[in-house]
Amino acid sequence: MFKGTNASAGIGIGSVVIVEETKLVIEQRSIANVAAEVDRFKAALDQTMKDTEAMAADLAERMGEKEAEIMQGHMMLLMDPSLTGEIENQIKGESMNAEMAVENVCNMYAEMFASMDNEMFQQRATDMKDIKVRMQKVLLGVESVDVASLPSGTVLVAKDLTPSMTAGINPQKIVGIVTELGGKTSHSAILARAMEIPAVVAVADFLKEAKNGDTVIVDGSEGVVYLSPEDKVLNEYTDKRDKYLKERKELEQYIGKESITKDGVKVEIVANIGKPADVEKVLQYDGEGVGLFRTEFLFMDRDSMPTEDEQYEAYKSVAESLKGKPVIIRTLDIGGDKEIPYMGIAKDENPFLGYRAIRLCLDRKDDIYKPQLRALLRASAYGDIRIMIPMVTCIDEIREAKHLIEEMKMELDRQNIPYNKDIKVGIMVETAAASLMADVFAKEVDFFSIGTNDLTQYTMSCDRGNEQISYLYSTFNPAVLRSIKRIISCANEAGIMVGMCGEAASDPLMIPLLLSFGLNEFSMSASAILQSRKIICNSSKADLKAVEDKAMSFVTAKEVEEYMKEYVKSVQ
Ligand code: PEP
Ligand code: MG
């Protein structure tokens, strides 16, 4: 058995096809006609751009705009005048052949990106190598590996899959993907998830053992791979795979159903998104709205701030696609683990306790907060947009943000620009202070959304990204559970809506407790919606009171989690 990183859920069983890029031999040659060589490079660049555009269009049609963005990123690199200018300069200055100049310059950029301490830039390094090889292949007339024509039942095995290779994959034929390199957020992993192909990445030394035609099991949920498994394992996993596929198929019956318990308690299951393109999956999996739009993603992957108009267009497009369903848009939450290099924010000693989210926005009203609030208000004329303030710790922050919203409303009135005058304003409850003050805060806002990802870290004083202390980071810890329960009852008492948009909202072991506590809205990644709706439709809130009482009587996270596992098993 090989262990790796679970990059795309599901189980795939098939035959190994090792996909190796043809090793290109790039040698330096001296060129007599430099002008002709520059033309040869320009023609190759042109061809590569055309190919990339075609791949982007194909991906957009087959899978959606979000996936096509990866190829559009390649276009941006190919259109970058400093990259192409440097290649031309090398050809001219050193009478060098085009493929060698491409090799030198692209490698230099790739190394620069790879050395940066940021996953986004490291991904750029992979993208840079991808476009380098594609330009060189055009220059040398070498055909690319045609993953589109691989036979049915193929498990693709590669050192690393380039985004352009992954983009050519036909999900009807490829049943699994195994790579030696890559991470959960690498573009290939994102594409594998979008195509719902089970994938395990970062499997060390797999290519040393695997041969074409070997039978292989890819368990993308657990992150394990079995090469030439014994019959016993093969049979076990064949059953597991069939069960998984049957369950996914069966979940489709929950499309179009209400999220309502057996005893008639109606809740809402909505989605977390990061970009307008994510709405496609929300509609596919029948989300009842958007419970968290993380707007910081609009600010990432670019080198300047999106303008008020750009933001307005993004918010408006989400509101329009959701056709009147609620769309909760969180104002900018940067700082902490989310950095935006061009914003000129000094590195904090202690980023999660530092200059982050609402703290930063209230400090930078003119260039950051006001344009965002104006964009949100303007877009609110096109749907049920609600504004959510992140990382609140004290009432002054709520009051100041609400005051600014009123100021922006008056500005829009003066300019005769339409907006929803009754726009709802709520807060993320995700700090210990907000939890303790929930009764007071509930009187100041229209809704709460509990951010368990942060609430857990702030309650347990445990950095959410630190592996070494991850044993402390559990939403099942009684301290966190008490906090959640209290926040929900304060909201219920004040008569305001209370949702949850942290990962705990879609945890099958947590949902029964949250229902019993009285949570109104569950916000999660779109692919988890139907599974959660099934759990809710099969529960009865009244019956869960005893489960809640028992769970809340334990004093350790482990006991609570074990008990909830037993309970969930007993009702399945
Ligand atoms: C949270 O903290 O639970 C949350 C949803 O926000 P983020 O993960 O973006 O901090
Ligand atoms: Mg948070």
Side-chain angles (χ1 to χ4, degrees):
M1 183 185 79
F2 292 79
K3 267 193 164 309
T5 304
N6 51 344
S8 177
I11 291 163
I13 303 174
S15 307
V16 168
V17 173
I18 299 174
V19 185
E20 269 170 320
E21 279 289 344
T22 324
K23 192 106 188 91
L24 299 177
V25 184
I26 309 292
E27 281 166 349
Q28 185 162 346
R29 281 180 291 116
S30 183
I31 297 297
N33 186 345
V34 166
E37 192 65 6
V38 170
D39 285 346
R40 197 166 80 88
F41 163 64
K42 283 188 178 157
L45 178 66
D46 219 41
Q47 185 60 49
T48 313
M49 291 216 252
K50 280 195 190 123
D51 295 347
T52 310
E53 260 178 352
M55 282 189 227
D58 177 50
L59 269 183
E61 198 186 303
R62 286 197 297 134
M63 273 144 49
E65 290 299 327
K66 181 167 172 255
E67 287 66 39
E69 271 170 24
I70 295 170
M71 291 329 291
Q72 277 145 12
H74 285 199
M75 279 303 282
M76 305 275 279
L77 292 177
L78 289 164
M79 286 190 306
D80 181 354
S82 53
L83 176 83
T84 53
E86 265 179 70
I87 295 173
E88 284 182 34
N89 285 345
Q90 281 218 355
I91 298 173
K92 288 182 202 153
E94 300 182 35
S95 305
M96 189 187 278
N97 52 325
E99 42 286 7
M100 194 68 215
V102 167
E103 175 81 13
N104 290 342
V105 176
C106 291
N107 281 352
M108 186 186 80
Y109 274 87
E111 274 162 32
M112 182 186 80
F113 286 135
S115 69
M116 291 185 190
D117 185 19
N118 172 314
E119 207 167 329
M120 183 183 95
F121 284 114
Q122 308 217 339
Q123 179 59 47
R124 285 267 165 83
T126 312
D127 292 342
M128 185 55 85
K129 284 189 202 145
D130 196 359
I131 62 163
K132 174 189 87 172
V133 172
R134 287 199 290 121
M135 280 195 279
Q136 289 172 330
K137 278 185 178 164
V138 177
L139 284 164
L140 296 167
V142 174
E143 291 281 331
S144 283
V145 197
D146 185 10
V147 285
S149 63
L150 293 171
S152 292
T154 293
V155 170
L156 247 177
V157 176
K159 183 113 201 128
D160 196 5
L161 276 185
T162 60
S164 53
M165 270 156 80
T166 323
I169 285 173
N170 176 351
Q172 255 74 55
K173 300 203 165 153
I174 309 295
V175 295
I177 296 174
V178 183
T179 64
E180 281 194 349
L181 303 176
K184 233 180 189 156
T185 55
S186 63
H187 285 159
S188 309
I190 294 170
L191 284 170
R193 284 199 290 277
M195 291 189 271
E196 301 187 12
I197 299 175
V200 182
V201 299
V203 184
D205 296 328
F206 193 66
L207 281 163
K208 274 195 200 145
E209 307 288 331
K211 290 186 305 309
N212 278 326
D214 284 351
T215 300
V216 61
I217 300 170
V218 184
D219 183 345
S221 307
E222 297 296 327
V224 293
V225 182
Y226 293 88
L227 189 61
S228 311
E230 290 169 18
D231 285 350
K232 189 170 156 281
V233 179
L234 192 58
N235 293 338
E236 187 190 316
Y237 269 89
T238 306
D239 290 349
K240 255 193 183 173
R241 177 196 57 191
D242 296 347
K243 191 161 165 254
Y244 178 85
L245 291 177
K246 198 162 147 248
E247 277 169 9
R248 290 293 298 177
K249 193 82 203 137
E250 278 171 6
L251 285 177
E252 287 174 12
Q253 62 175 292
Y254 289 93
I255 293 178
K257 289 234 168 93
E258 277 193 315
S259 308
I260 188 163
T261 63
K262 286 197 280 196
D263 52 348
V265 178
K266 168 101 186 70
V267 297
E268 272 177 12
I269 308 187
V270 291
N272 294 350
I273 62 168
K275 288 199 191 84
D278 298 345
V279 166
E280 254 176 58
K281 284 255 179 240
V282 183
L283 300 177
Q284 182 190 333
Y285 287 113
D286 193 31
E288 295 165 66
V290 167
L292 168 66
F293 181 168
R294 290 182 162 102
T295 58
E296 49 279 10
F297 287 101
L298 295 179
F299 289 66
M300 290 177 184
D301 233 348
R302 48 187 295 151
D303 48 24
S304 65
M305 235 183 307
T307 61
E308 177 186 318
D309 277 346
E310 280 177 82
Q311 293 187 59
Y312 158 72
E313 291 297 342
Y315 306 148
K316 178 176 166 220
S317 103
V318 175
E320 285 181 334
S321 313
L322 266 297
K323 299 196 170 71
K325 290 179 180 163
V327 176
I328 298 181
I329 306 187
R330 177 172 79 183
T331 62
L332 194 62
D333 180 2
I334 50 166
D337 59 342
K338 301 184 199 113
E339 279 180 50
I340 300 187
Y342 62 80
M343 278 202 163
I345 299 161
K347 224 174 161 54
D348 258 333
E349 277 288 324
N350 219 331
F352 278 120
L353 300 182
Y355 190 60
R356 180 185 167 187
I358 189 64
R359 303 171 179 188
L360 182 148
C361 285
L362 289 176
D363 188 45
R364 296 214 8 206
K365 293 192 185 80
D366 289 330
D367 67 333
I368 298 180
Y369 216 29
K370 285 186 183 175
Q372 181 168 43
L373 294 174
R374 266 181 68 99
L376 285 169
L377 285 167
R378 284 169 59 198
S380 72
Y382 300 89
D384 184 5
I385 286 184
R386 304 174 186 183
I387 299 177
M388 179 154 75
I389 312 165
M391 221 210 150
V392 168
T393 52
C394 54
I395 199 119
D396 315 75
E397 290 163 337
I398 302 176
R399 290 183 177 155
E400 204 175 338
K402 283 178 71 175
H403 181 77
L404 264 188
I405 293 170
E406 288 309 310
E407 205 182 304
M408 293 305 103
K409 281 183 178 178
M410 284 192 295
E411 221 178 79
L412 294 176
D413 283 335
R414 282 197 295 278
Q415 295 166 330
N416 275 325
I417 298 176
Y419 63 91
N420 172 12
K421 292 195 184 337
D422 301 316
I423 191 164
K424 292 193 163 76
V425 179
I427 57 167
M428 298 269 312
V429 184
E430 52 182 344
T431 64
S435 166
L436 288 166
M437 292 295 282
D439 52 334
V440 178
F441 290 4
K443 297 193 184 89
E444 297 264 334
V445 295
D446 298 314
F447 64 90
F448 279 170
S449 185
I450 307 174
T452 45
N453 306 343
D454 277 316
L455 186 67
T456 307
Q457 90 163 339
Y458 293 131
T459 305
M460 299 306 297
S461 302
C462 168
D463 186 329
R464 63 197 252 189
N466 188 333
E467 272 300 315
Q468 235 178 337
I469 49 170
S470 61
Y471 66 95
L472 284 173
Y473 186 87
S474 167
T475 315
F476 292 100
N477 188 287
V480 184
L481 287 179
R482 285 182 192 202
S483 179
I484 294 173
K485 182 175 166 154
R486 180 184 142 71
I487 298 164
I488 296 174
S489 31
C490 290
N492 289 164
E493 263 164 46
I496 61 166
M497 193 279 279
V498 55
M500 177 176 286
C501 56
E503 291 303 309
S506 59
D507 184 338
L509 302 184
M510 193 57 93
I511 291 174
L513 290 177
L514 299 173
L515 264 178
S516 182
F517 290 159
L519 193 75
N520 308 129
E521 178 231 55
F522 297 69
S523 193
M524 57 193 67
S525 74
S527 59
I529 290 175
L530 297 179
Q531 156 86 9
S532 305
R533 185 170 292 152
K534 178 182 172 186
I535 298 173
I536 286 164
C537 291
N538 289 328
S539 306
S540 155
K541 187 175 173 206
D543 294 349
L544 290 171
K545 181 73 180 93
V547 178
E548 177 198 325
D549 287 346
K550 182 82 185 159
M552 296 305 276
S553 72
F554 295 114
V555 292
T556 67
K558 194 160 176 274
E559 285 166 318
V560 180
E561 200 173 348
E562 287 302 320
Y563 169 68
M564 289 312 295
K565 269 189 197 151
E566 285 299 309
Y567 165 71
V568 168
K569 224 186 213 159
S570 74
V571 291
Q572 258 165 5

